[in-house]
Each structure stands twice: as structure tokens, then as C-alpha cells.
Amino acid sequence: MDIHKEIDTRGLNCPLPILKAKKALAEMVTGQLLKVVATDTGSMRDFQAFAKQTGNELVEQQTQGSEFIHILRRR
């Protein structure tokens, strides 16, 4: 997978990971992939809802230890 941008939101709680992802996506072009690394347990459902609301595709979500990885494709 060709990640175009990665943001680290470890230690940040809702809604900061979403807000940082929204800002990063605004700086990207259609089709590019954004990787978000978070530690907020609520981020799994937050990013699912964010993708539905914004039309950006949630390509993948995974848990690695205490971290949650979200991959979004810019609409």
C-alpha cells in the first residue's frame, strides 16, 4: 500500500485525531492514502463514522498493541 501521508495522534483523545485527519485530508488530492496512528480506543468507531459522513473511504483499520491504525483514501 502506497501511503502518501502519515499523522501521529498518539496520546490525543476525541475529537483531535479526527480533526487532524480532516486537516491532513484537505491538503491531499483525490485517491491519496492517509495513515493515522492513534491510541484513543474510541477512534475505531470515530473513523468509521467520519468516513461515512465525509465520503472518504476507510480502506483499513487494525489494532497493534495499544495503537489503532486507520487508513483513509481521499475522496
Side-chain angles (χ1 to χ4, degrees):
M1 208 176 316
D2 190 16
I3 303 296
H4 297 91
K5 190 170 204 172
E6 181 173 337
I7 58 173
D8 181 356
T9 65
R10 287 178 277 219
L12 300 178
N13 292 322
C14 180
L16 290 173
I18 293 288
L19 294 175
K20 288 192 175 286
K22 186 176 181 179
K23 183 177 186 288
L25 284 165
E27 299 167 355
M28 297 168 69
V29 298
T30 299
Q32 287 187 319
L33 294 177
L34 171 67
K35 178 179 179 179
V36 183
V37 182
T39 51
D40 180 10
T41 55
S43 68
M44 294 298 272
R45 70 179 186 301
D46 291 345
F47 275 96
Q48 291 167 10
F50 173 75
K52 283 182 187 160
Q53 290 171 356
T54 62
N56 293 297
E57 180 189 355
L58 184 59
V59 177
E60 185 178 313
Q61 283 187 307
Q62 54 182 271
T63 304
Q64 294 180 349
S66 62
E67 296 181 349
F68 305 96
I69 313 296
H70 313 280
I71 311 242
L72 294 146
R73 184 183 315 277
R74 169 81 157 92
R75 64 174 164 81

XYZ file of all heavy atoms in Angstrom:
589
model
N 0.840 -1.175 0.000
C 0.000 0.000 0.000
C 0.890 1.244 0.000
O 1.829 1.333 0.779
C -0.889 -0.024 1.253
C -2.173 0.697 1.045
S -3.354 0.652 2.417
C -3.353 -1.016 2.966
N 0.585 2.175 -0.865
C 1.400 3.381 -1.015
C 0.798 4.520 -0.195
O -0.117 5.206 -0.642
C 1.469 3.746 -2.506
C 2.492 4.832 -2.780
O 3.349 5.082 -1.906
O 2.424 5.433 -3.863
N 1.306 4.702 1.023
C 0.809 5.744 1.917
C 1.427 7.083 1.505
O 2.640 7.195 1.387
C 1.169 5.428 3.392
C 0.624 4.064 3.824
C 0.690 6.535 4.326
C -0.871 3.937 3.820
N 0.595 8.086 1.294
C 1.082 9.399 0.864
C 1.384 10.322 2.035
O 2.216 11.209 1.929
C 0.059 10.052 -0.065
C -0.144 9.282 -1.323
N -1.103 8.299 -1.443
C 0.514 9.311 -2.504
C -1.035 7.771 -2.650
N -0.058 8.371 -3.318
N 0.664 10.120 3.148
C 0.869 10.971 4.310
C 0.531 10.167 5.561
O -0.379 9.351 5.551
C -0.046 12.201 4.212
C 0.242 13.279 5.226
C -0.552 14.529 4.866
C 0.129 15.743 5.450
N -0.468 16.983 4.981
N 1.289 10.408 6.632
C 1.023 9.726 7.899
C 0.988 10.760 9.004
O 1.829 11.661 9.037
C 2.118 8.694 8.183
C 1.892 7.940 9.481
C 2.870 6.791 9.695
O 3.429 6.278 8.712
O 3.064 6.403 10.855
N -0.010 10.640 9.886
C -0.063 11.538 11.038
C -0.098 10.722 12.321
O -0.682 9.643 12.378
C -1.249 12.536 10.972
C -2.597 11.834 10.874
C -1.074 13.516 9.832
C -3.785 12.772 10.983
N 0.558 11.253 13.321
C 0.661 10.599 14.626
C -0.249 11.336 15.604
O 0.005 12.485 15.933
C 2.115 10.656 15.092
C 2.337 9.987 16.438
O 1.357 9.537 17.068
O 3.500 9.928 16.869
N -1.312 10.657 16.038
C -2.231 11.279 17.002
C -2.198 10.525 18.329
O -3.147 10.602 19.105
C -3.679 11.334 16.443
O -4.172 10.001 16.278
C -3.722 12.066 15.114
N -1.110 9.807 18.576
C -0.980 9.072 19.833
C -1.064 10.040 21.011
O -0.456 11.108 20.983
C 0.342 8.308 19.886
C 0.346 7.086 18.979
C 1.675 6.388 19.026
N 2.576 7.077 18.108
C 3.449 6.459 17.327
N 3.592 5.164 17.362
N 4.213 7.151 16.512
N -1.827 9.639 22.034
C -1.973 10.465 23.227
C -3.087 11.497 23.129
O -3.406 12.151 24.108
N -3.667 11.645 21.938
C -4.756 12.611 21.757
C -6.103 11.893 21.858
O -6.264 10.787 21.370
C -4.647 13.297 20.396
C -3.367 14.086 20.142
C -3.381 14.657 18.736
C -3.204 15.201 21.162
N -7.057 12.552 22.495
C -8.395 11.980 22.627
C -9.354 12.664 21.664
O -9.095 13.759 21.172
C -8.898 12.123 24.069
C -8.108 11.243 25.014
O -7.733 10.126 24.675
N -7.835 11.735 26.204
N -10.478 12.000 21.437
C -11.540 12.512 20.588
C -11.875 13.941 21.005
O -11.943 14.214 22.200
C -12.767 11.610 20.724
S -14.146 12.129 19.723
N -12.080 14.829 20.079
C -12.132 14.673 18.611
C -10.823 15.011 17.905
O -10.807 15.135 16.689
C -13.208 15.674 18.218
C -12.969 16.830 19.152
C -12.541 16.181 20.468
N -9.732 15.177 18.624
C -8.477 15.625 17.997
C -7.952 14.719 16.875
O -7.538 15.242 15.831
C -7.405 15.870 19.060
C -7.685 17.100 19.941
C -6.678 17.187 21.079
C -7.663 18.375 19.137
N -7.961 13.381 17.015
C -7.487 12.568 15.879
C -8.299 12.816 14.597
O -7.733 12.909 13.505
C -7.647 11.129 16.382
C -7.495 11.260 17.867
C -8.190 12.554 18.205
N -9.610 12.964 14.752
C -10.469 13.224 13.587
C -10.159 14.595 12.989
O -10.055 14.742 11.770
C -11.966 13.139 13.989
C -12.337 11.712 14.377
C -12.873 13.672 12.880
C -12.413 10.721 13.248
N -10.022 15.597 13.844
C -9.740 16.949 13.352
C -8.405 17.014 12.615
O -8.292 17.648 11.563
C -9.754 17.950 14.505
C -11.114 18.160 15.173
C -10.977 19.076 16.389
C -12.124 18.732 14.192
N -7.395 16.326 13.143
C -6.088 16.308 12.483
C -6.166 15.553 11.153
O -5.539 15.945 10.171
C -5.037 15.700 13.404
C -4.683 16.627 14.565
C -3.459 16.146 15.297
C -3.025 17.113 16.362
N -2.385 18.318 15.859
N -6.942 14.472 11.123
C -7.119 13.714 9.879
C -7.854 14.563 8.836
O -7.482 14.568 7.661
C -7.889 12.427 10.144
N -8.866 15.292 9.276
C -9.634 16.143 8.363
C -8.729 17.203 7.738
O -8.778 17.445 6.533
C -10.783 16.803 9.135
C -11.720 17.588 8.288
C -12.878 18.114 9.115
C -13.843 18.889 8.252
N -14.982 19.394 9.012
N -7.876 17.803 8.555
C -6.938 18.824 8.069
C -5.945 18.212 7.076
O -5.665 18.777 6.014
C -6.195 19.441 9.252
C -5.252 20.557 8.881
C -4.624 21.158 10.132
C -3.781 22.373 9.829
N -2.527 22.108 9.176
N -5.419 17.033 7.408
C -4.456 16.364 6.523
C -5.101 15.995 5.192
O -4.500 16.193 4.126
C -3.888 15.125 7.207
N -6.323 15.477 5.234
C -7.017 15.080 4.002
C -7.271 16.291 3.111
O -7.217 16.187 1.882
C -8.340 14.380 4.337
C -8.199 12.940 4.838
C -9.503 12.472 5.473
C -7.786 11.997 3.721
N -7.538 17.445 3.710
C -7.805 18.667 2.942
C -6.577 19.091 2.135
O -6.712 19.760 1.110
C -8.242 19.789 3.874
N -5.393 18.684 2.582
C -4.149 19.042 1.895
C -3.734 17.997 0.854
O -2.704 18.166 0.197
C -3.024 19.194 2.937
C -3.298 20.288 3.947
C -2.358 20.243 5.148
O -1.538 19.298 5.254
O -2.470 21.147 5.986
N -4.530 16.953 0.717
C -4.193 15.856 -0.194
C -5.076 15.906 -1.434
O -6.072 16.624 -1.468
C -4.364 14.515 0.542
C -3.419 14.375 1.730
S -3.798 12.984 2.814
C -3.368 11.608 1.766
N -4.705 15.125 -2.449
C -5.516 15.064 -3.671
C -6.302 13.754 -3.704
O -5.959 12.787 -3.023
C -4.648 15.216 -4.950
C -3.964 16.569 -4.980
C -3.639 14.105 -5.069
N -7.329 13.742 -4.515
C -8.207 12.588 -4.640
C -7.417 11.306 -4.890
O -6.522 11.282 -5.735
C -9.209 12.809 -5.791
O -9.991 13.962 -5.480
C -10.137 11.619 -5.964
N -7.753 10.255 -4.120
C -7.137 8.948 -4.303
C -5.928 8.692 -3.419
O -5.501 7.552 -3.282
N -5.359 9.734 -2.831
C -4.196 9.535 -1.972
C -4.608 8.893 -0.644
O -5.748 9.040 -0.200
C -3.476 10.863 -1.701
C -2.722 11.380 -2.902
C -1.877 12.593 -2.563
O -2.294 13.477 -1.830
N -0.685 12.644 -3.128
N -3.648 8.186 -0.024
C -3.912 7.475 1.220
C -3.288 8.184 2.412
O -2.144 8.627 2.359
C -3.355 6.052 1.152
C -4.007 5.112 0.146
C -3.294 3.764 0.153
C -5.483 4.930 0.442
N -4.071 8.271 3.480
C -3.632 8.861 4.744
C -3.623 7.768 5.803
O -4.608 7.043 5.967
C -4.590 9.968 5.178
C -4.376 10.535 6.586
C -3.048 11.287 6.678
C -5.528 11.442 6.983
N -2.518 7.668 6.522
C -2.414 6.725 7.643
C -2.453 7.531 8.933
O -1.689 8.478 9.095
C -1.105 5.933 7.550
C -0.899 4.962 8.708
C 0.400 4.193 8.526
C 0.663 3.219 9.661
N 1.920 2.475 9.449
N -3.360 7.128 9.830
C -3.483 7.788 11.122
C -3.158 6.768 12.209
O -3.748 5.688 12.243
C -4.918 8.333 11.354
C -5.003 9.075 12.682
C -5.353 9.240 10.205
N -2.220 7.105 13.085
C -1.874 6.254 14.220
C -2.455 6.916 15.465
O -2.151 8.071 15.759
C -0.347 6.093 14.366
C -0.015 5.172 15.532
C 0.264 5.569 13.080
N -3.316 6.175 16.179
C -3.995 6.734 17.348
C -3.908 5.766 18.530
O -3.660 4.576 18.355
C -5.459 7.001 17.010
N -4.121 6.306 19.727
C -4.186 5.464 20.929
C -5.554 5.560 21.595
O -5.819 4.842 22.552
C -3.098 5.868 21.952
O -3.163 7.266 22.174
C -1.710 5.488 21.455
N -6.409 6.424 21.082
C -7.761 6.589 21.625
C -8.610 5.384 21.210
O -8.813 5.139 20.028
C -8.371 7.886 21.087
C -9.776 8.148 21.590
O -10.234 7.433 22.508
O -10.429 9.072 21.080
N -9.105 4.620 22.202
C -9.888 3.412 21.888
C -11.150 3.736 21.096
O -11.610 2.914 20.305
C -10.273 2.650 23.171
O -10.946 3.541 24.050
C -9.054 2.085 23.870
N -11.698 4.912 21.280
C -12.901 5.307 20.545
C -12.630 5.631 19.088
O -13.563 5.807 18.304
N -11.356 5.703 18.716
C -11.032 6.104 17.342
C -11.510 5.085 16.319
O -11.776 5.450 15.172
C -9.532 6.361 17.187
O -8.783 5.174 17.297
N -11.651 3.822 16.692
C -12.127 2.812 15.739
C -13.512 3.192 15.217
O -13.726 3.288 14.021
C -12.158 1.420 16.385
C -10.776 0.878 16.736
S -9.682 0.656 15.329
C -10.115 -0.999 14.834
N -14.442 3.444 16.124
C -15.795 3.812 15.688
C -15.842 5.248 15.153
O -16.605 5.550 14.236
C -16.821 3.588 16.792
C -16.723 4.528 17.952
C -17.801 4.270 19.021
N -17.828 5.238 20.078
C -16.852 5.553 20.908
N -15.698 4.941 20.799
N -16.983 6.466 21.829
N -15.010 6.127 15.719
C -14.987 7.517 15.254
C -14.605 7.603 13.782
O -15.213 8.344 13.014
C -13.995 8.356 16.074
C -14.448 8.571 17.509
O -15.636 8.334 17.813
O -13.601 8.977 18.332
N -13.572 6.844 13.373
C -13.137 6.911 11.976
C -14.129 6.240 11.040
O -14.253 6.638 9.888
C -11.714 6.360 11.813
C -10.668 7.400 12.094
C -10.085 7.489 13.340
C -10.313 8.323 11.128
C -9.141 8.469 13.616
C -9.369 9.310 11.391
C -8.782 9.386 12.644
N -14.855 5.240 11.526
C -15.907 4.629 10.704
C -16.999 5.660 10.416
O -17.437 5.811 9.276
C -16.489 3.401 11.411
C -15.515 2.246 11.484
C -15.949 1.152 12.447
O -17.060 1.139 12.945
N -15.040 0.220 12.719
N -17.419 6.375 11.449
C -18.454 7.403 11.291
C -17.940 8.558 10.427
O -18.664 9.064 9.555
C -18.894 7.915 12.657
N -16.695 8.960 10.645
C -16.087 10.051 9.876
C -16.086 9.723 8.383
O -16.424 10.566 7.550
C -14.660 10.297 10.383
C -13.879 11.287 9.568
C -14.139 12.638 9.663
C -12.865 10.861 8.721
C -13.410 13.562 8.910
C -12.125 11.767 7.977
C -12.403 13.123 8.072
N -15.706 8.494 8.046
C -15.660 8.084 6.639
C -17.052 8.146 6.010
O -17.220 8.649 4.895
C -15.073 6.685 6.513
N -18.062 7.660 6.731
C -19.434 7.692 6.205
C -19.909 9.127 6.004
O -20.548 9.446 5.006
C -20.385 6.961 7.156
C -20.301 5.466 7.054
C -21.292 4.794 7.983
C -21.066 3.297 7.973
N -21.615 2.621 9.124
N -19.607 9.993 6.946
C -20.085 11.379 6.889
C -19.392 12.195 5.808
O -19.991 13.086 5.224
C -19.886 12.069 8.239
C -20.799 11.552 9.324
C -20.425 12.094 10.704
O -19.447 12.797 10.874
N -21.226 11.737 11.698
N -18.117 11.912 5.544
C -17.349 12.750 4.626
C -17.207 12.181 3.223
O -16.795 12.892 2.306
C -15.925 12.986 5.181
O -15.253 11.729 5.290
C -15.974 13.686 6.529
N -17.485 10.893 3.064
C -17.332 10.281 1.748
C -15.921 9.784 1.464
O -15.656 9.249 0.398
N -15.008 9.973 2.416
C -13.669 9.410 2.273
C -13.765 7.914 2.578
O -14.552 7.514 3.434
C -12.691 10.086 3.235
C -12.456 11.539 2.875
O -11.941 11.850 1.811
N -12.851 12.440 3.746
N -12.977 7.110 1.878
C -13.039 5.658 2.060
C -12.135 5.210 3.200
O -10.952 5.562 3.234
C -12.616 4.957 0.765
C -12.642 3.453 0.871
C -12.025 2.760 -0.338
O -11.656 3.442 -1.317
O -11.895 1.532 -0.286
N -12.704 4.441 4.124
C -11.905 3.826 5.191
C -11.385 2.511 4.618
O -12.109 1.530 4.530
C -12.753 3.607 6.437
C -12.034 3.072 7.664
C -10.904 4.008 8.104
C -13.006 2.894 8.814
N -10.144 2.513 4.178
C -9.559 1.370 3.485
C -9.250 0.237 4.450
O -9.494 -0.929 4.157
C -8.271 1.796 2.728
C -7.608 0.610 2.055
C -8.584 2.884 1.729
N -8.718 0.590 5.620
C -8.285 -0.439 6.565
C -8.234 0.127 7.982
O -7.962 1.307 8.182
C -6.886 -0.902 6.151
C -6.324 -2.049 6.939
C -4.939 -2.464 6.422
O -4.770 -2.611 5.201
O -4.044 -2.604 7.261
N -8.518 -0.762 8.944
C -8.336 -0.448 10.358
C -7.690 -1.657 11.005
O -8.055 -2.782 10.704
C -9.681 -0.187 11.062
C -10.274 1.161 10.779
C -11.508 1.410 11.628
O -12.436 0.600 11.638
N -11.528 2.522 12.327
N -6.730 -1.400 11.885
C -6.115 -2.512 12.604
C -5.645 -2.046 13.969
O -5.447 -0.859 14.193
C -4.968 -3.129 11.804
C -3.906 -2.151 11.359
C -2.829 -2.829 10.530
O -1.855 -3.314 11.092
N -3.001 -2.871 9.226
N -5.529 -3.013 14.855
C -5.039 -2.744 16.196
C -3.679 -3.409 16.333
O -3.525 -4.582 16.004
C -6.010 -3.327 17.250
O -7.309 -2.796 17.013
C -5.570 -2.968 18.662
N -2.696 -2.635 16.789
C -1.353 -3.167 17.027
C -0.978 -2.801 18.460
O -0.573 -1.668 18.716
C -0.346 -2.582 16.034
C -0.603 -3.001 14.610
C 0.395 -2.408 13.627
O 1.167 -1.517 13.951
N 0.370 -2.910 12.404
N -1.178 -3.744 19.362
C -0.931 -3.471 20.777
C -1.918 -2.439 21.278
O -3.123 -2.637 21.180
N -1.416 -1.313 21.765
C -2.307 -0.258 22.270
C -2.538 0.830 21.228
O -3.099 1.876 21.534
C -1.700 0.366 23.536
O -0.456 0.970 23.222
N -2.126 0.565 19.990
C -2.292 1.555 18.929
C -3.324 1.102 17.908
O -3.485 -0.087 17.652
C -0.953 1.815 18.223
C 0.068 2.430 19.135
C 1.389 2.708 18.441
O 1.610 2.236 17.300
O 2.205 3.398 19.054
N -4.003 2.082 17.351
C -5.034 1.837 16.341
C -4.589 2.537 15.056
O -4.276 3.715 15.054
C -6.388 2.378 16.809
C -6.783 1.807 18.146
C -6.530 2.501 19.308
C -7.387 0.553 18.234
C -6.870 1.980 20.553
C -7.725 0.019 19.474
C -7.466 0.732 20.617
N -4.561 1.759 13.975
C -4.113 2.260 12.678
C -5.332 2.400 11.778
O -6.118 1.467 11.631
C -3.108 1.288 12.021
C -2.018 0.844 13.000
C -2.536 1.892 10.736
C -1.111 1.904 13.503
N -5.470 3.574 11.184
C -6.584 3.856 10.272
C -5.988 4.326 8.955
O -5.130 5.191 8.939
C -7.484 4.964 10.834
C -7.844 4.764 12.275
N -8.823 3.908 12.693
C -7.316 5.291 13.399
C -8.897 3.924 14.014
N -7.989 4.767 14.473
N -6.474 3.737 7.864
C -6.019 4.146 6.527
C -7.236 4.665 5.782
O -8.222 3.948 5.619
C -5.371 2.976 5.756
C -4.359 2.293 6.629
C -4.883 3.443 4.401
C -2.953 2.274 6.242
N -7.142 5.909 5.345
C -8.240 6.554 4.627
C -7.796 6.941 3.220
O -6.663 7.374 3.034
C -8.672 7.837 5.365
C -9.286 7.622 6.744
C -8.924 8.764 7.662
C -10.785 7.491 6.628
N -8.727 6.789 2.251
C -8.459 7.235 0.890
C -9.241 8.527 0.675
O -10.447 8.592 0.889
C -8.894 6.182 -0.132
C -8.542 6.584 -1.562
C -9.032 5.557 -2.598
N -8.764 4.182 -2.220
C -7.606 3.564 -2.409
N -6.582 4.183 -2.937
N -7.465 2.302 -2.058
N -8.520 9.557 0.238
C -9.141 10.864 0.000
C -10.155 10.770 -1.125
O -9.873 10.233 -2.183
C -8.026 11.870 -0.356
C -8.496 13.213 -0.881
C -8.905 14.110 0.265
N -8.857 15.514 -0.094
C -9.898 16.197 -0.578
N -11.060 15.612 -0.783
N -9.765 17.471 -0.855
N -11.337 11.312 -0.887
C -12.384 11.267 -1.918
C -12.101 12.256 -3.034
O -11.358 13.175 -2.913
C -13.760 11.525 -1.314
C -13.924 12.912 -0.723
C -15.357 13.113 -0.275
N -15.460 14.246 0.609
C -15.525 15.526 0.201
N -15.496 15.806 -1.065
N -15.612 16.504 1.066
